[in-house]
Amino acid sequence: MSIRAATLRRWSLTSPLSKFVCTRLTSPLATTQVVVCAPSTATASYFLQNRNFTSVRAANSSWSSRTTGFFTQQRRGRATTPEAKTNEVDKRQIVSTTTNDKCKWLEVTWSDYLGRYPYVWMRDNCRCDECYYPSCHSRSMLMANLDLDVHPKTVEIKDDGHLVEILWSDGHISPYRSDWLKLQRFDKTDYDPIKKLSKFSWGSEFVNKIPTFPFDDVMTKNDALQGWMEGLVVYGLVKITGAPCELGALNKLCQKVAFERKTFYGPVYQVQSIFEPGSSLAYTAKSLGLHTDLPYYDYRPGVQMLHCIRQVESRGGENQFCDGKRAAEQLQREHPELFDILTKVKIDYRIIAQDYIDVHLQKAQNMIELDENGEFKYVAKSDIVRAPYLNVPVEDVAKVYKAMKAFEDAIYDENNFLDFKVQKGEIMAFDNNRVLHGRRGYSVSMEGEGSKSRLLEGAYLDWDEIYSRMRLIDEELRGTARL
């Protein structure tokens, strides 16, 4: 097993279960292979380097993260003698090049790889200072100046096989570093760490398996921050514990990733019961059905975060979550014709409100959206802001309602949703395009401390910024090369 495949990612978790068992999983919901952990305070190896998840159980212990020096140990274990180093093959060294004018490509041979590079692609991707700005990783070569029939006049291997230089038919000279050129492949190889993560659906069994991370670790350790973001991608729901019970914690968390996604609610917003709310039923003590936020936006925020600062002490106020992916899969399996309706009929959503700014937003979209391969992409559902108008033929209205009701039954299936009270200092973050969330109603006293019994602060992040931060951290932690 390579260093890359074997390296374990680490951060703190707490579990009250029976004993230390580290289980290598493709999901925390299934078991495949046992890995030994220390019998006392131990490091929770939550993700493997190959992006598979690990479930760790411990007996009444708090796991503290620590550095194991894994890379150093591996390097020491692989130390070689000077004589052995002399015989090692430099896999970055170009062995030979051959022009193939019939196919119009250059064949470049390394000790372990043969690459074929079309002439026009190589000229377009010249790495000289005139054609490329390395400081901003941008091409300055213009398509208007590109000769589609360009071909090499000479090809020369330099720098002991670590550079190939081409004199083109247009008179230009292009240098290509061997290590960069070897990464460029036309075989669908994808180095993007985001693409290597698979999404797993979950149901009610997930309530005690939600990936959980200490606030201080996420704020100070890039491996914990990366794990938190990876959990968002894979499961769509993650928890942070130990956040300060004061306004502003979400602002700091957003800045660790990039910046908040501002909406008509502002950069952040406070969820509490107020008299005559002007923009959302969330600002009441009423029950909120399972929904996704802001379906009336053309470009919805990708991730929503809710930070519990004060929780109601009486009954009620429980948070509810459902994996829309799991519910959609169930609907497709049990009622394919109704599933088909929700993937094709546009449902209108609308809001007219006064908040950070005055708005009148509206958007029609599929309640269940599929990708180009017919797989689940996202869910857009909110009865609160579903518009009174429904732009379908009158004879189809009853069918559409039947489909919406069937999906409602699926998301409230007791096997599909979570129902628990988020505690003070906890931050729930979830994929707003996938995970539906809601709330049980609760009572509010209009006098004394009871009038301030429940306060959550909310904020949004966009997936583009999350993916960007994940790639940057991946380069730092794993040395992933930039193409």
Side-chain angles (χ1 to χ4, degrees), residues 34-105:
V34 175
V35 181
V36 178
C37 279
S40 58
T41 301
T43 299
S45 302
Y46 201 78
F47 286 105
L48 291 175
Q49 183 75 359
N50 64 2
R51 311 307 204 274
N52 286 343
F53 278 74
T54 302
S55 173
V56 184
R57 301 183 177 92
N60 298 321
S61 300
S62 175
W63 293 324
S64 59
S65 50
R66 64 187 181 186
T67 302
T68 63
F70 185 86
F71 283 108
T72 301
Q73 295 171 19
Q74 289 293 315
R75 282 195 291 268
R76 288 173 180 169
R78 293 165 60 109
T80 57
T81 64
E83 292 78 14
K85 289 183 178 180
T86 303
N87 296 324
E88 285 182 356
V89 176
D90 185 350
K91 294 183 179 181
R92 296 175 302 173
Q93 187 177 42
I94 295 173
V95 176
S96 65
T97 63
T98 304
T99 56
N100 187 327
D101 292 335
K102 180 179 180 180
C103 296
K104 295 185 178 181
W105 66 41

Side-chain angles (χ1 to χ4, degrees), residues 375-444:
E375 300 295 330
F376 175 87
K377 185 177 182 180
Y378 67 71
V379 58
K381 182 187 185 304
S382 177
D383 290 334
I384 302 170
V385 294
R386 183 159 42 79
Y389 45 87
L390 186 61
N391 290 320
V392 299
V394 64
E395 60 269 20
D396 292 338
V397 170
K399 295 178 184 177
V400 173
Y401 269 89
K402 185 177 181 180
M404 291 193 296
K405 180 63 174 177
F407 189 45
E408 187 83 359
D409 292 341
I411 66 177
Y412 276 104
D413 186 314
E414 63 179 8
N415 296 314
N416 289 345
F417 82 103
L418 313 182
D419 185 18
F420 62 93
K421 187 173 289 187
V422 178
Q423 300 301 309
K424 291 193 301 182
E426 294 182 342
I427 298 174
M428 302 303 301
F430 44 94
D431 184 342
N432 187 49
N433 296 316
R434 169 182 171 181
V435 174
L436 301 103
H437 67 287
R439 179 192 70 207
R440 289 186 182 272
Y442 61 96
S443 299
V444 175

Side-chain angles (χ1 to χ4, degrees), residues 144-173:
N145 298 330
L146 181 63
D147 177 7
L148 298 182
D149 296 318
V150 69
H151 58 275
K153 294 182 69 176
T154 63
V155 179
E156 187 176 357
I157 299 175
K158 295 185 173 183
D159 193 17
D160 195 26
H162 293 91
L163 179 76
V164 61
E165 188 175 271
I166 300 177
L167 171 60
W168 295 103
S169 56
D170 63 5
H172 191 77
I173 297 176

